[in-house]
Amino acid sequence: MHELSIMENILEIAARHAQASEAAKIHRISLRIGEMSGVSLEALEFAFDVLSKDTMAEGAELVVETVPARCTCEACGTTYEPSDILAGCPSCGGYRSTLLQGRELELVSMEVS
Amino acid sequence: MSASGGTRVVVVQEALLSKNKVFSEQNRSMFDAEGCLVLNILSSPGAGKTTLLERTLADLAGTVRMGVIVGDLATDNDARRLQSSGAPVVQITTQDICHLDAAMVQRAVHELPRPLPEILFIENVGNLVCPASFDLGEHCRVALMSVTEGEDKPIKYPLLFSTADLVLVTKADIAAAAGFDRDLAMRNLMAAAPHADVIELSARTGDGMEMWYDWLRNRQRKRGTDGDTQRRGAGVP
């Protein structure tokens, strides 16, 4: 349940930006979450429900854009989107690869009033 | 920017866990400045982290200065076991938090005697999921899997194993009794942890421990010269 720590962080950042723009209520929070960030969206939503209670984000909509993983094979240089973290290179079958994207955890924007 | 119904859009574009990133970078610079090699030790509960460290502290005592930071949800049992070696041990009791983060480690480091040890082991909370996402400022990640856990641990928890620099297969002395399929385990490790070195050992009999010590000495020599940290930490691309 490290999603609790992550959600705490999300609400902290959200509150800071809401105050800076003199908003009283947060209606929507948009996140980008990498497919390989190790975050469970279900647990994140649960954490949101618990932690947003009695805050200006209570009842807000949580919108998540999932960022697919993309990596480059260290053996043959092919760039591919692995179907899961254990998938080898589709060209040569190699397992050693460098991740280009897929570990993102970002608060992109919010809708406030 | 405006949106419908009297609301407006605020662009944030801020990385989550960025606070952890700040602390982990501070930690790593402090460790580097003081010549302290730091290892983040990860495994499920009961895989043998404390036993491994007990034996390591005893065997290497007098040859290298070592210290331990140990994280547990509750109790200081592990810290008390490790303190008998005479090495400095700092306990972090996380209460109900399932992982260590870089800020907790920074506070714990301030409780260690100075100068810092040459090798600092951070025994993480026994958990194969959450600790994988938190860079503590370590130089190396060491994941343990015991022969009694089943060969598929690495492919069930790929994020943690994929970020490991070394995998220690522990309790190797009872592999046969546990019905451990070594070939299958090695295949799974090759898929889930292709960047990791693998050492099989038993902290009870001492088999394989010398390879682990060689690995440590080698890392001490190489410290700061390779890009160990590039695969660390979700959310910090």
Side-chain angles (χ1 to χ4, degrees):
Chain A
M1 282 299 285
H2 63 304
E3 285 80 2
L4 273 175
S5 311
I6 293 170
M7 186 48 71
E8 231 166 43
N9 194 209
I10 291 173
L11 292 174
E12 237 172 63
I13 296 170
R16 177 157 40 81
H17 283 267
Q19 272 156 18
S21 65
E22 293 174 348
K25 174 99 188 116
I26 299 171
H27 298 273
R28 184 200 303 246
I29 298 178
S30 299
L31 307 170
R32 288 178 81 226
I33 309 270
E35 204 173 37
M36 293 200 183
S37 61
V39 170
S40 148
L41 296 185
E42 216 176 310
L44 204 60
E45 274 160 18
F46 172 76
F48 176 72
D49 290 344
V50 173
L51 295 174
S52 66
K53 250 197 181 73
D54 302 324
T55 73
M56 64 171 90
E58 183 170 0
E61 186 189 358
L62 208 56
V63 181
V64 177
E65 179 203 343
T66 303
V67 182
R70 183 173 299 142
C71 53
T72 302
C73 174
E74 287 177 19
C76 73
T78 302
T79 294
Y80 60 101
E81 290 189 2
S83 50
D84 65 71
I85 201 165
L86 296 171
C89 170
S91 300
C92 74
Y95 283 117
R96 292 177 72 107
S97 62
T98 309
L99 201 63
L100 303 175
Q101 61 169 54
R103 292 245 166 104
E104 292 77 2
L105 282 178
E106 191 193 1
L107 204 174
V108 183
S109 65
M110 308 187 298
E111 210 175 295
V112 300
S113 66
Chain B
M1 284 163 97
S2 66
S4 56
T7 64
R8 59 209 150 86
V9 172
V10 178
V11 177
V12 180
Q13 286 183 335
E14 212 172 297
L16 306 177
L17 299 184
S18 51
K19 220 164 59 178
N20 192 69
K21 191 180 180 190
V22 170
F23 281 108
S24 65
E25 282 169 359
Q26 284 173 358
N27 289 354
R28 196 171 287 109
S29 328
M30 169 176 58
F31 297 142
D32 284 342
E34 302 212 21
C36 177
L37 175 73
V38 180
L39 297 101
N40 185 0
I41 315 281
L42 305 140
S43 80
S44 51
K49 292 185 296 298
T50 309
T51 305
L52 173 86
L53 291 180
E54 262 180 322
R55 174 102 194 205
T56 304
L57 294 177
D59 286 355
L60 298 186
T63 67
V64 60
R65 287 187 305 109
M66 295 167 288
V68 184
I69 292 173
V70 52
D72 278 298
L73 294 173
T75 85
D76 61 352
N77 291 353
D78 285 356
R80 281 190 282 121
R81 273 173 68 185
L82 293 165
Q83 261 151 4
S84 61
S85 68
V89 178
V90 176
Q91 172 83 48
I92 300 175
T93 309
T94 62
Q95 308 301 342
D96 48 3
I97 299 174
C98 51
H99 57 269
L100 293 180
D101 66 33
M104 295 179 204
V105 168
Q106 192 166 105
R107 285 193 295 273
V109 168
H110 290 308
E111 290 177 40
L112 282 170
R114 296 299 167 115
L116 288 180
E118 293 161 277
I119 300 182
L120 175 63
F121 300 102
I122 303 175
E123 183 182 331
N124 217 312
V125 178
N127 177 344
L128 286 173
V129 185
C130 312
S133 299
F134 292 85
D135 181 5
L136 306 179
E138 74 269 19
H139 300 102
C140 309
R141 277 193 180 187
V142 180
L144 272 61
M145 88 180 251
S146 65
V147 298
T148 54
E149 288 176 82
E151 301 79 5
D152 58 357
K153 271 285 151 72
I155 55 173
K156 276 187 176 165
Y157 300 94
L159 181 64
L160 188 139
F161 283 91
S162 71
T163 61
D165 301 291
L166 172 67
V167 175
L168 296 176
V169 179
T170 59
K171 309 186 189 180
D173 55 316
I174 55 168
F180 182 65
D181 184 340
R182 184 178 178 282
D183 289 345
L184 178 58
M186 292 301 152
R187 276 202 304 280
N188 289 342
L189 278 173
M190 207 198 287
H195 293 90
D197 299 321
V198 179
I199 297 173
E200 296 162 74
L201 54 75
S202 163
R204 190 161 60 177
T205 64
D207 283 342
M209 292 297 284
E210 208 43 57
M211 288 174 72
W212 154 236
Y213 301 147
D214 283 343
W215 192 92
L216 281 175
R217 290 183 198 109
N218 198 24
R219 276 300 154 135
Q220 257 195 303
R221 279 193 297 272
K222 272 177 34 185
R223 198 177 55 75
T225 62
D226 56 10
D228 277 349
T229 57
Q230 63 175 355
R231 296 190 304 281
R232 294 294 173 273
V236 283

